[in-house]
Amino acid sequence: MELREVIRKRRSIRKYKQDAIPQEYLDELYQAIRLAPSGMNHQPYRFFFIQDPSTRARLVNEGCHQDFLHDAPVLVVACCDKGRQFDVAVAVDHLVLSATDSGLATCWIGWIEESVVKQILGIDDDSEVPVIIALGYADEQPEPKEFKSLDQLIVEI
C-alpha cells in the first residue's frame, strides 16, 4: 500500500476478531517503532506487547475500563521517560501506520489509570504511560469520518 492510501484507510477500530497476529507482522511493527525518530535519537520509550489473556484482562478490568479492549488479541502499552510523550507519540504513529499497511487495526487509548497499569506491568515511577494501543484484525468497517476543511486547519503565512 502507498503511504497516502495507508493514511486514508486508518480508522480507530473498537471491534476485533480473535485471530492471532503472525509473528512476522509483529516483527514489522517492532521495526517501525525502532526506526521512528526521537529527540537526539534517544528513543526514550519501551513498548509492551501484551498477548497473555490474563494480563490483558487485568489491564482492561483494572486499568482501562473499556470493554471492547477484551476483544483485541494484543494490547500495546507505550511507556516513556517523564516528559517525553512527544517522542513516544511519533513511535506510536509509526506503529499504527505500519499496522494499517499490514491489514491490522488499531485504536489509541488515552483514558487509562496510569498507576494501575504501571503496577501491573512493573513499570518504574520514572516512566509515564501516555497511551495503550488495541491491536488486531478489524471485525467492523466504520465509515470515513467528516474532517474539517483545510482552511480551518492550515494557515499559510
Side-chain angles (χ1 to χ4, degrees):
M1 215 181 304
E2 288 193 24
L3 179 60
R4 286 179 188 87
E5 183 180 356
V6 170
I7 291 170
R8 279 192 285 278
K9 284 189 172 196
R10 199 257 158 217
R11 299 280 180 272
S12 291
I13 299 298
R14 290 175 178 82
K15 191 172 181 183
Y16 294 89
K17 297 176 183 176
Q18 294 300 301
D19 302 349
I21 299 172
Q23 187 61 48
E24 60 267 18
Y25 285 21
L26 294 173
D27 291 342
E28 287 295 324
L29 300 180
Y30 302 160
Q31 288 297 329
I33 291 167
R34 188 176 72 83
L35 296 172
S38 63
M40 298 180 66
N41 198 35
H42 283 164
Q43 298 178 301
Y45 39 72
R46 284 186 303 157
F47 286 78
F48 295 76
F49 280 68
I50 313 301
Q51 298 179 69
D52 174 67
S54 62
T55 305
R56 284 191 351 256
R58 276 193 74 199
L59 285 171
V60 175
N61 294 333
E62 300 172 31
C64 298
H65 311 293
Q66 297 180 58
D67 286 341
F68 80 89
L69 293 174
H70 284 290
D71 295 333
V74 179
L75 295 178
V76 181
V77 177
C79 78
C80 62
D81 296 349
K82 285 190 177 181
R84 301 300 295 265
Q85 301 92 336
F86 182 80
D87 288 319
V88 81
V90 173
V92 168
D93 207 42
H94 273 59
L95 161 76
V96 165
L97 292 175
S98 183
T100 302
D101 189 46
S102 295
L104 298 169
T106 57
C107 188
W108 290 63
I109 309 299
W111 178 45
I112 61 173
E113 292 187 45
E114 182 180 12
S115 62
V116 174
V117 172
K118 287 168 71 172
Q119 184 273 323
I120 291 170
L121 297 177
I123 298 170
D124 62 62
D125 288 335
D126 292 334
S127 297
E128 297 180 32
V129 178
V131 65
I132 293 175
I133 303 297
L135 176 66
Y137 291 98
D139 200 16
E140 66 176 349
Q141 291 187 328
E143 293 296 319
K145 303 263 185 190
E146 290 289 323
F147 293 99
K148 291 182 179 182
S149 66
L150 288 177
D151 64 339
Q152 294 175 293
L153 298 172
I154 308 300
V155 177
E156 291 185 353
I157 298 176

